[in-house]
Amino acid sequence: MGEQHWNHCLITGGSRGIGFAIARRVARRADKVTLVARDRERLQQAAARLRDETDTEIATVVADLSEFEDVRTVAALLDREAVDVLVCAAGVYTTAPADEANVADWDRMLEINLRAPMHLARAAAASMSQRGTGAIVLLGSVAGRNAFPGNSGYCASKFGLRGFAESLFYDVRDAGIHVCHIAPGMTATDMTRDTPGADPGRMMSPETVAEAVRFAISLPDNANLMNLDLWPQRDVFSG
Ligand SMILES: NC(=O)c1ccc[n+]([C@@H]2O[C@H](COP(=O)([O-])OP(=O)(O)OC[C@H]3O[C@@H](n4cnc5c(N)ncnc54)[C@H](OP(=O)(O)O)[C@@H]3O)[C@@H](O)[C@H]2O)c1
């Protein structure tokens, strides 16, 4: 454990929030980091910031992970470029009572939060198993184990991701592939900025979540951090 070095880390949702904090945290210890998101300008800004901070090669890929063709493009890149750390941090969140929810919002959450990580992890695992090493980090949520009102679609996507991650680990552990499901509670990012009644001062910082990811992928080869629930210490809603 400690001075781990990675060849190529690919981070979906790496342009901002938790994904960007993870990119910053791992960049100094990687030969190459690839950021994936939709907004080209935000991606370029993020990449420029990382290049200011490190000599690591930084690449960007514009992709909409709700589109299956874009998922396939990123999946192909995982094998072609021998990515040894895949971090799936891209995610979306909408809230509504289940009986009033917009089903298009449900579909988007399932596509981006669950379907895309499943397909990317599958592709990464197939590629990594040939090399006998690698790490797949899936950003879940405490809403993937605890249900909250108004979160039916989000909870469905994140409960699903938790189950997928655990099953994946059992399937690929003997191939030397780490699978880490990191499940944060409220973290101060764009996603939570306008949450009614929530105190941003009580939320975790994206850097804290990034440190947990770094820890998870720095464990010795014979240990795997399977699930990590990371809660804000104080109740974000009772300030
Ligand atoms: N913040 C929290 O309190 C919290 C708590 C628990 C779990 N999480 C999970 O942690 C992960 C990161 O959340 P965050 O708070 O950092 O969110 P965020 O600040 O809103 O950032 C989301 C990232 O995902 C990208 N993204 C969104 N839709 C995409 C799409 N269709 N295709 C490709 N990229 C897309 C965004 O870039 P573009 O918009 O440019 O595409 C951005 O880089 C998510 O999976 C989220 O569910 C967050």
Side-chain angles (χ1 to χ4, degrees):
M1 187 154 52
E3 294 306 304
Q4 190 94 14
H5 191 88
W6 301 287
N7 299 321
H8 189 167
C9 304
L10 183 141
I11 302 163
T12 74
S15 61
R16 53 195 169 90
I18 292 170
F20 179 67
I22 294 167
R24 285 188 77 199
R25 192 70 189 81
V26 301
R28 280 199 183 83
R29 302 232 191 113
D31 291 335
K32 181 171 180 178
V33 171
T34 296
L35 311 176
V36 179
R38 289 167 306 174
D39 185 325
R40 186 182 301 275
E41 201 172 319
R42 293 294 294 264
L43 272 171
Q44 284 169 354
Q45 287 167 2
R49 210 171 142 197
L50 294 179
R51 290 186 192 112
D52 281 347
E53 295 179 2
T54 162
D55 293 332
T56 299
E57 181 182 355
I58 310 294
T60 59
V61 175
V62 177
D64 181 345
L65 296 175
S66 69
E67 299 288 341
F68 197 58
E69 269 315 302
D70 285 12
V71 175
R72 286 167 66 107
T73 300
V74 177
L77 188 156
L78 293 169
D79 186 47
R80 193 172 66 244
E81 300 211 8
V83 167
D84 56 351
V85 178
L86 165 67
V87 179
C88 293
V92 289
Y93 171 77
T94 48
T95 176
D99 53 342
E100 296 170 16
N102 179 338
V103 293
D105 288 341
W106 275 0
D107 285 346
R108 280 185 63 70
M109 286 189 279
L110 291 172
E111 286 162 1
I112 299 164
N113 301 355
L114 180 58
R115 186 183 70 170
M118 286 175 68
H119 283 273
L120 295 179
R122 178 183 183 277
S127 175
M128 290 170 180
S129 65
Q130 291 169 27
R131 300 187 294 279
T133 183
I136 297 169
V137 179
L138 302 169
L139 262 293
S141 168
V142 295
R145 196 171 72 160
N146 300 76
F148 299 98
N151 276 222
S152 54
Y154 189 70
C155 283
S157 70
K158 295 296 188 178
F159 269 71
L161 190 68
R162 183 181 291 261
F164 172 74
E166 287 195 22
S167 185
L168 175 66
F169 170 63
Y170 299 129
D171 289 342
V172 302
R173 61 194 296 184
D174 285 323
I177 301 169
H178 298 274
V179 179
C180 310
H181 171 253
I182 309 281
M186 284 195 94
T187 306
T189 68
D190 294 346
M191 186 177 277
T192 53
R193 190 184 307 283
D194 299 321
T195 307
D199 176 357
R202 292 188 171 201
M203 294 182 195
M204 295 181 291
S205 75
E207 288 73 25
T208 301
V209 181
E211 176 55 18
V213 171
R214 192 224 34 98
F215 174 77
I217 61 175
S218 301
L219 288 171
D221 283 346
N222 64 0
N224 186 76
L225 193 156
M226 175 65 249
N227 281 306
L228 180 66
D229 290 351
L230 200 57
W231 286 79
Q233 177 62 35
R234 293 192 292 162
D235 187 345
V236 166
F237 292 101
S238 70

